[in-house]
Amino acid sequence: MTRAEFVDHVGRLFATRGSDLYGGEAVTQLEHALQAADLARTAGAPPAEIVAALLHDVGHLLHHLGDDCADRGIDARHEARGVRFLAKRLPPAVTEPVRLHVAAKRYLCAAEPGYLAALSPASVQSLAIQGGPMNESERTEFERHPHFVAAVALRRRDDAAKVPGLVTPPFAAFRPVLEECLAPPA
Ligand SMILES: [Fe+2]
């Protein structure tokens, strides 16, 4: 699969599944992805962080458990599904923050006063089935991870990317940065 074909494939995933609601939020998967990516872009984040923000929830587009699965107590493990897909072509600078973005929520709930209280109701609900706030030793270990800073930055963009009706650049605007991050075909 060439770079362009991989990007087309991702584009088709968003075209076919991007209108699914983002969990219990008032935005779609596509709106959420574009808002997160645009937050990274406007913050001047490096290309890998922009792509991680764009694709952090691609795992939700790869399962058919329903956008209400957290309501039914099911953890879709979307971060692991997403990484399995993305790791075929994208480097750890993209895939590691994606893999860690749920852990980063558990981290921030434990490390940052007020973070848990500011989470959306849907995020609080999924937190419970994702393991709840980290304990002290989990926090210490997480802070030592080489992609800790990028994972926390992605988490903050994820949390902020839930604004109904916000205008963002379209998916096509992020094609060049996605192609830039892709490894050549094996
Ligand atoms: Fe997300």
Side-chain angles (χ1 to χ4, degrees):
M1 205 186 287
T2 65
R3 283 187 173 93
E5 285 167 347
F6 184 87
V7 177
D8 285 345
H9 182 62
V10 172
R12 275 196 302 277
L13 276 175
F14 277 107
T16 55
R17 298 289 307 278
S19 58
D20 289 1
L21 280 181
Y22 176 55
E25 312 289 351
V27 291
T28 66
Q29 289 286 351
L30 177 61
E31 289 168 332
H32 177 62
L34 294 175
Q35 287 185 27
D38 205 38
L39 284 166
R41 183 186 67 82
T42 53
E49 288 195 28
I50 299 171
V51 171
L54 180 70
L55 300 180
H56 74 280
D57 279 335
V58 76
H60 279 307
L61 309 182
L62 298 167
H63 70 72
H64 294 274
L65 296 167
D67 55 36
D68 63 342
C69 63
D71 294 345
R72 292 179 279 120
I74 299 168
D75 182 359
R77 302 275 304 142
H78 73 283
E79 68 279 22
R81 287 174 197 267
V83 167
R84 276 200 298 276
F85 171 72
L86 298 174
K88 291 173 189 159
R89 295 302 300 278
L90 287 158
V94 174
T95 59
E96 284 298 278
V98 172
R99 184 173 71 80
L100 296 171
H101 82 276
V102 171
K105 176 170 75 170
R106 296 183 56 229
Y107 170 81
L108 285 167
C109 284
E112 192 169 286
Y115 178 83
L116 176 56
L119 282 179
S120 67
S123 256
V124 172
Q125 182 179 37
S126 57
L127 173 69
I129 57 175
Q130 288 160 344
M134 285 185 173
N135 63 33
E136 193 63 38
S137 68
E138 288 173 323
R139 272 174 59 174
T140 305
E141 193 183 328
F142 193 65
E143 285 167 355
R144 289 198 195 108
H145 195 286
H147 295 278
F148 162 72
V149 172
V152 169
L154 170 56
R155 185 71 228 179
R156 294 192 193 284
R157 292 166 188 143
D158 184 5
D159 293 329
K162 301 174 180 180
V163 182
L166 186 71
V167 176
T168 63
F171 179 81
F174 294 101
R175 282 189 70 113
V177 71
L178 179 48
E179 292 193 22
E180 183 185 336
C181 288
L182 283 173

